[in-house]
Amino acid sequence: MRYQTQKVAYPFFIAALVLFAAQVIFGVVAGAIYVWPNLLSEAMPFHIVRMSHTNLLIVWLLIGFFGATYYLLPEEAETEIYSPNLAYVQLGLFVFAGAAALVGYQFGIHEGREFLEQPLWVKILMTISFLMFLYNGTMTLINGRRTAISVVLMMGLWLAAIFWLFAFYNPANLSLDKMYWWYVIHLWVEGVWGLIMASLLAYLVIKMTGVDREIIEKWLYVIVGLVLFSGLLGTGHHYYWIGLPGYWQPVGSFFSALEVLPLFAMVIFVFYMFWRGSRNHPNKSAILWTLGCAVMAFFGAGVWGFMHTLSFVNYYSHGTQITAAHAHLAFFGAYVMLNLAIFSYALPQLRGKQPYNQVLNMWSFWLMTSGMAFMTFVLTFAGVIQTHMQRVVGQRYMDVQDDLGLFYTMRLGAGVVVAIAVLMYIYAMLGPAREQLPAGAPHLAAGGGVKGNP
Amino acid sequence: MIEGLTRNAARNIFFGGSLFFFLVFIGLTAHSHYYVVTTSTDHAGLTDSVKHGKHIWEQNSCINCHSLLGEGAYFAPELGNVWKRYGGEHSPAGARNALKIWMRIQPTGIEGRRQMPGYDFTEEELDALIDFLEWTSRIDTQGWPPNISG
Ligand code: HEM
Ligand code: HEM
Ligand SMILES: [Fe+2]
């Protein structure tokens, strides 16, 4: 850690990890209700559990991105964070808003659009906090050196905030409501968050491989170009059946199919750079999460996304367990693993230690990743059967669900494994630190950049 | 693959191309907005009751159990076409009545069956909710869902 104010990131990472644990626990409860349908049906009905699960996910991912930005901006901009105090206030506000929403949900206080259930005043607080963050980051950037990584990252965050404003627009016409709703949901995860993902991966790769910045930044621009060229019109894959014109079927199918390209490019990018890089970085767990992120994002978003994105497939699979399967692996691969990679890389430096508890961390990687993969497989099987029985044969929804019990039980099992892995990860990162350097490389320091390539 | 490309060229392609696709996207959604208002939905038929129904739908977050036009949760039946499933096209009064009864007898409390919460909606609120579902069932969805099961 070369700049004092990088330590601002520490409380962000802790908050994110605590909320991550809560998110997964709500997920397990939701999975349990699928298996034992009478569970909590009065005290905490399924819809409350589900909105808690998904909202916690979004909130902790954003807090992780904020923290990551505060961590890398000083190094990239070669200057201290504009105002550390503003960062702490902003974090407090965001956590307060998120926690207030979560508590309110348990008492039935919520709005009613999926993922945007936060009451109006919570949305406003989150917007204020987000703007404070953007101000702080942008001022830091203005005061310092502007690199491709920091510019693309801040651009992604700015655009995320701008598209978020559509959360405040809720037309009475349901088709319009849905059309603009996707401005937030799709344009986030398959648009501007792609800029965040690519730039954070590029940062990790520069730090851990020592490959020339010039080369990495060129790749970065190519990747984010592919993200937006495909992802903007790719929104059309949500516009097939909600009352919008028929031309979205060819347009959405074509462009969303191209969304696989940037995801594939990211896999090639990280593997090529680690292969080419000369540097034997001691933080093996951070390397593992970085490579894993690109790979699992490619499978979850790219392969599982492509599986149901063409309009003639989506006609049958739309809104089935296939969607749930894809949603889980995509979010996990692209954004959960991205955050966990950053935490694994940065926390040792924030705590002033050499990489620690690496073995436990890597065990949690394999356990969590296999758990999510297994969950995705069983949901995919369930979804294929559901699609066939309900959409092709025409059986009633509830009758079909009765036949899927085995898959839901297996999903719950996978979910419990994931929850255990998450607790292992948190313990490895925040618990007592046992330094574990790979044999033969104890002299390598984890922090800082490579000589001549800051 | 990208040996011939310089970083600055890559950057310019990124900014220029993104702006281009963004403008195309905005153009197409603007047209889609127009299409929704004039063609695919009964925009003029958005009565106060339909709007109120949509509000009740949101206040109770039915979307976190049900899907509506295929979007939402996957825990309970699709409701975009529930009006048709209840025979509303042929006998509106019968469908309205059946839906009201359905809402009133929740939760079923049946052991081992998924539960829907009970709501104590007034008669007027139930009518609004059903007006909203009826309005929704008339959106031109390009032929989705494939069959009445939703
Ligand atoms: C990181 C990237 C991605 C994330 C986090 C993500 C996440 C999600 C989520 C959460 C949904 C469900 C939304 C809802 O509740 O209705 C969804 C739906 C969908 N996604 Fe993705 N996705 C990603 C990338 C992709 C890509 C690259 C493709 C295509 C190649 C794709 C294709 C689809 C399609 C077609 C649907 C609609 C499913 C349906 O009709 O029910 N996604 N995605
Ligand atoms: C890091 C891990 C996880 C991520 C990123 C994640 C993400 C998500 C997302 C994005 C949705 C909304 C899906 C959609 O609208 O299509 C969702 C729903 C859900 N998740 Fe998770 N989740 C995770 C872990 C878990 C775990 C461990 C379980 C436990 C079994 C679980 C169970 C569920 C259930 C039951 C739903 C509701 C699906 C439905 O509507 O039927 N999740 N999750
Ligand atoms: Fe999408």
Side-chain angles (χ1 to χ4, degrees), chain A residues 375-396:
Chain A
M375 184 191 296
T376 305
F377 291 142
V378 293
L379 287 179
T380 307
F381 281 116
V384 170
I385 295 174
Q386 182 189 4
T387 301
H388 181 73
M389 300 307 279
Q390 186 184 324
R391 296 285 163 72
V392 181
V393 177
Q395 280 190 20
R396 297 162 59 101

Side-chain angles (χ1 to χ4, degrees), chain A residues 38 180 217 243 247 390 394 397, chain B residues 7 31 33 40 74 112 149-150:
Chain A
N38 305 82
Y180 292 110
E217 292 190 340
Y247 55 66
Q390 186 184 324
Y397 173 92
Chain B
R7 182 185 55 177
H31 172 265
H33 188 126
S40 63
Y74 320 110
S149 298

Side-chain angles (χ1 to χ4, degrees), chain A residues 122-355:
Chain A
V122 170
K123 286 198 181 80
I124 292 173
L125 283 188
M126 290 186 160
T127 312
I128 293 172
S129 169
F130 211 135
L131 288 175
M132 287 159 81
F133 163 79
L134 290 172
Y135 175 72
N136 213 356
T138 308
M139 289 309 285
T140 311
L141 206 57
I142 287 175
N143 289 339
R145 180 180 72 145
R146 283 181 287 283
T147 63
I149 289 179
S150 54
V151 168
V152 170
L153 176 63
M154 285 309 292
M155 186 179 157
L157 290 157
W158 265 105
L159 290 170
I162 289 169
F163 286 117
W164 159 253
L165 296 180
F166 282 92
F168 293 95
Y169 178 51
N170 182 6
N173 185 313
L174 184 70
S175 291
L176 293 181
D177 166 359
K178 284 174 173 290
M179 184 171 86
Y180 292 110
W181 181 80
W182 285 111
Y183 271 44
V184 187
I185 310 304
H186 172 98
L187 288 183
W188 267 24
V189 299
E190 290 163 66
V192 296
W193 283 27
L195 309 196
I196 300 173
M197 177 182 174
S199 53
L200 291 180
L201 282 180
Y203 170 77
L204 287 167
V205 166
I206 282 196
K207 290 295 161 180
M208 293 194 289
T209 67
V211 171
D212 234 30
R213 179 177 282 275
E214 177 84 12
I215 298 173
I216 289 189
E217 292 190 340
K218 181 169 76 177
W219 273 84
L220 174 60
Y221 280 124
V222 170
I223 290 171
V224 293
L226 290 173
V227 168
L228 290 188
F229 299 174
S230 63
L232 286 166
L233 289 173
T235 317
H237 65 185
H238 304 292
Y239 287 174
Y240 302 151
W241 328 117
I242 58 172
L244 303 189
Y247 55 66
W248 286 111
Q249 289 177 44
V251 172
S253 298
F254 180 76
F255 284 94
S256 65
L258 295 181
E259 287 180 40
V260 180
L261 292 179
L263 292 158
F264 187 65
M266 281 194 250
V267 178
I268 304 293
F269 169 65
V270 293
F271 276 89
Y272 177 58
M273 293 304 162
F274 273 101
W275 169 76
R276 179 175 164 150
S278 51
R279 204 164 168 224
N280 188 10
H281 198 276
N283 196 336
K284 298 297 173 213
S285 57
I287 296 177
L288 186 61
W289 284 106
T290 305
L291 297 173
C293 169
V295 171
M296 296 312 284
F298 172 69
F299 280 104
V303 177
W304 256 258
F306 181 74
M307 212 162 69
H308 61 160
T309 207
L310 302 176
S311 60
F312 52 86
V313 177
N314 193 262
Y315 181 68
Y316 295 100
S317 67
H318 182 45
T320 61
Q321 296 296 330
I322 292 178
T323 311
H326 155 70
H328 275 91
L329 204 62
F331 254 111
F332 176 73
Y335 300 120
V336 171
M337 294 182 90
L338 177 66
N339 267 302
L340 300 187
I342 293 271
F343 301 166
S344 297
Y345 172 76
L347 276 169
Q349 297 170 48
L350 287 167
R351 294 178 62 179
K353 296 187 160 49
Q354 289 296 312

Side-chain angles (χ1 to χ4, degrees), chain A residues 33-34 37-38 41-42 45-47 50-51 54 108 110-115 117 148 151-152 155 163 169-183 187 195 213-214 217-219 221-222 224-225 228-229 232-233 235-236 238-249 251 255 272 314-316 318-321 323-324 390-398 401-402 408, chain B residues 1-8 10-37 40-43 46 50-51 54 57-65 67-78 85-86 107 109-117 119 132 135-136 139-150:
Chain A
I33 295 176
Y34 259 94
N38 305 82
S41 68
E42 308 273 322
F46 183 83
H47 64 301
R50 188 184 197 272
M51 70 176 82
T54 54
H110 50 68
E111 292 188 1
R113 292 194 294 162
E114 194 193 1
F115 304 132
E117 297 89 354
V151 168
V152 170
M155 186 179 157
F163 286 117
Y169 178 51
N170 182 6
N173 185 313
L174 184 70
S175 291
L176 293 181
D177 166 359
K178 284 174 173 290
M179 184 171 86
Y180 292 110
W181 181 80
W182 285 111
Y183 271 44
L187 288 183
L195 309 196
R213 179 177 282 275
E214 177 84 12
E217 292 190 340
K218 181 169 76 177
W219 273 84
Y221 280 124
V222 170
V224 293
L228 290 188
F229 299 174
L232 286 166
L233 289 173
T235 317
H238 304 292
Y239 287 174
Y240 302 151
W241 328 117
I242 58 172
L244 303 189
Y247 55 66
W248 286 111
Q249 289 177 44
V251 172
F255 284 94
Y272 177 58
N314 193 262
Y315 181 68
Y316 295 100
H318 182 45
T320 61
Q321 296 296 330
T323 311
Q390 186 184 324
R391 296 285 163 72
V392 181
V393 177
Q395 280 190 20
R396 297 162 59 101
Y397 173 92
M398 288 300 279
Q401 293 297 312
D402 280 342
Y408 295 135
Chain B
M1 163 182 117
I2 53 174
E3 294 304 321
L5 188 72
T6 67
R7 182 185 55 177
N8 284 353
R11 185 192 55 205
N12 295 342
I13 293 172
F14 163 62
F15 282 113
S18 299
L19 188 66
F20 171 76
F21 283 107
F22 182 69
L23 293 176
V24 175
F25 177 67
I26 295 295
L28 287 180
T29 39
H31 172 265
S32 298
H33 188 126
Y34 177 77
Y35 175 85
V36 167
V37 173
S40 63
T41 69
D42 178 15
H43 196 66
L46 275 174
V50 174
K51 290 180 189 168
K54 182 166 185 276
W57 168 264
E58 287 168 0
Q59 243 178 355
N60 295 286
S61 195
C62 315
I63 198 78
N64 268 300
C65 285
S67 58
L68 190 66
L69 303 186
E71 295 168 3
Y74 320 110
F75 183 75
E78 160 70 27
R85 194 152 60 242
Y86 276 62
I110 300 172
E111 197 55 39
R113 192 172 174 93
R114 292 182 198 168
Q115 295 299 304
M116 166 162 156
Y119 299 95
F132 168 65
W135 185 91
T136 301
I139 296 174
D140 173 6
T141 55
Q142 309 282 333
W144 194 90
N147 61 58
I148 200 70
S149 298

